[in-house]
Amino acid sequence: MALFITLDNVHTLYNIDVSKKMDGIAVLHQHHHPAKEYHKHTRLFDGLLLGFLMKGSMKAQIHFLEYEINAGDIAVLQPQLMIDTKSLSDDAEIISIALSSDFITSFPILREFIMNDQIRWRPVIRLKEEEFVLQNELLSLIQKFYHKKESPGKAEMLRHLVISLMCMISEAYSDLQDHKSLIKNRTHEIIDDFYLLISKYATQQRTVKFYAERLHLTPQYLSTFLKQKTGKSVLQWIDHTVILHAKTLLKSSSLSVKQISNELHFEETSLFCRYFKRITGVSPGTFRNEQ
């Protein structure tokens, strides 16, 4: 299931106790169950998302490129970056911390984080071995405070714990950049610019020509380039993004299929239903009713 995640809908989508809802922060602790098809889950969050792989391993596509993530690794996803889980080991255990845009803007270190191109192109990192214990202790405290009974100082204490963890991650990136700086090249620029375009226009513009013209490239060059660099053509990425919108609306809104079809700029509901089934293998109604 592909999901647009916000702090408003994360509790519904992941069956989290609504009483745990807090302004600006959500914490999830997930264990992989082989019966669940996590490899079908594509997620896009509107804030900063941190994923800590505590056990096991996984393969994921983050911002168009594929990564192998192992126990001890941290996945750092800046706002509006897609993560597509390709596979998870049976023993995978993940702690995720989601921070809203409002939370981010309150702290300079987080504002710098979401503007850093090098982090976007190096989203998987791990702390030094001697800092693992501190990392895990902080994660344990963050979870305990998140589930702690409401109190006047709960939110403030949790925010300080999260910022402490973010400072450790920021230091790890600083060390990497000191030794091996990643220069944003033309490949990165094209992918970044294309990503921004499909994020904004995919539900309205579904032709290769539109994106190629905006990027000042020929349609054939853009399709070939993306296929070689990301494994998907322009049309495949457009379909991927449109279905991402559609699945999220089906799962997290009460809009009818017809209303969703209109929202996604399909001329007729029947065209949307055929399009959805061609790509996903099921009808919009069937998808909506699946657990």
Side-chain angles (χ1 to χ4, degrees):
M1 180 175 64
L3 303 170
F4 272 125
I5 304 173
T6 69
L7 287 188
D8 290 329
N9 69 13
V10 67
H11 298 82
T12 302
L13 296 172
Y14 285 93
N15 298 316
I16 302 172
D17 185 352
V18 179
S19 67
K20 306 298 181 185
K21 189 173 182 179
M22 293 185 62
D23 288 339
I25 303 175
V27 180
L28 291 77
H29 192 167
Q30 297 170 293
H31 296 263
H32 176 41
H33 299 289
K36 292 186 178 181
E37 297 182 334
Y38 284 110
H39 63 282
K40 291 187 177 179
H41 290 208
T42 301
R43 298 169 300 287
L44 185 150
F45 181 55
D46 66 351
L48 180 65
L49 186 64
L50 306 173
F52 299 83
L53 192 60
M54 308 305 290
K55 294 180 182 177
S57 62
M58 66 184 290
K59 289 184 179 179
Q61 189 170 54
I62 303 173
H63 195 41
F64 294 92
L65 302 179
E66 193 162 301
Y67 297 86
E68 184 163 343
I69 306 172
N70 298 299
D73 287 340
I74 308 168
V76 180
L77 274 73
Q78 293 165 314
Q80 303 296 319
L81 293 194
M82 283 186 286
I83 177 169
D84 188 353
T85 304
K86 299 296 185 182
S87 65
L88 280 170
S89 63
D90 289 347
D91 61 340
E93 180 182 344
I94 304 168
I95 296 174
S96 301
I97 300 175
L99 306 176
S100 72
S101 298
D102 288 341
F103 183 96
I104 292 167
T105 56
S106 301
F107 298 94
I109 186 176
L110 297 184
R111 292 201 299 271
E112 293 172 9
F113 232 77
I114 65 172
M115 299 299 292
N116 191 321
D117 284 343
Q118 292 181 315
I119 293 174
R120 183 180 307 139
W121 291 102
R122 191 186 280 118
V124 179
I125 193 171
R126 63 192 295 133
L127 302 187
K128 294 177 181 177
E129 191 171 341
E130 58 267 27
E131 294 184 324
F132 276 170
V133 174
L134 285 175
Q135 170 192 296
N136 292 340
E137 286 178 352
L138 273 173
L139 285 171
S140 178
L141 282 171
I142 286 169
Q143 291 181 91
K144 288 176 181 177
F145 271 91
Y146 184 73
H147 294 288
K148 175 183 177 291
K149 186 177 179 181
E150 282 299 323
S151 66
K154 175 182 174 180
E156 189 64 22
M157 289 184 281
L158 183 58
R159 279 193 284 269
H160 283 294
L161 288 170
V162 170
I163 291 302
S164 296
L165 185 59
M166 285 301 308
C167 286
M168 292 178 68
I169 297 171
S170 181
E171 282 188 354
Y173 270 108
S174 296
D175 291 343
L176 280 180
Q177 291 165 16
D178 286 342
H179 292 94
K180 187 179 180 183
S181 179
L182 175 64
I183 304 301
K184 185 178 178 183
N185 59 30
R186 180 59 176 154
T187 294
H188 297 155
E189 288 179 354
I190 293 174
I191 292 176
D192 272 351
D193 291 345
F194 175 73
Y195 182 76
L196 292 174
L197 286 172
I198 61 166
S199 296
K200 184 175 181 179
Y201 295 109
T203 60
Q204 306 164 47
Q205 301 288 344
R206 291 192 273 273
T207 66
V208 179
K209 182 181 178 183
F210 172 84
Y211 297 95
E213 287 180 350
R214 288 297 184 101
L215 294 170
H216 307 292
L217 302 169
T218 67
Q220 183 169 353
Y221 178 86
L222 180 59
S223 276
T224 301
F225 171 88
L226 286 174
K227 187 71 175 179
Q228 289 176 344
K229 301 297 182 182
T230 73
K232 285 189 176 81
S233 66
V234 176
L235 289 177
Q236 287 173 318
W237 277 115
I238 294 170
D239 288 344
H240 183 81
T241 308
V242 172
I243 292 298
L244 189 67
H245 281 272
K247 286 183 172 181
T248 302
L249 290 171
L250 286 165
K251 285 291 185 180
S252 64
S253 80
S254 59
L255 295 175
S256 68
V257 172
K258 182 177 181 179
Q259 289 172 318
I260 292 173
S261 174
N262 292 335
E263 185 84 9
L264 299 177
H265 297 89
F266 283 86
E267 292 181 2
E268 295 184 15
T269 306
S270 60
L271 291 175
F272 167 65
C273 290
R274 287 200 296 272
Y275 174 86
F276 189 93
K277 187 169 185 178
R278 174 174 63 81
I279 296 173
T280 68
V282 297
S283 69
T286 299
F287 176 83
R288 169 170 266 173
N289 294 326
E290 285 178 344
Q291 297 299 315

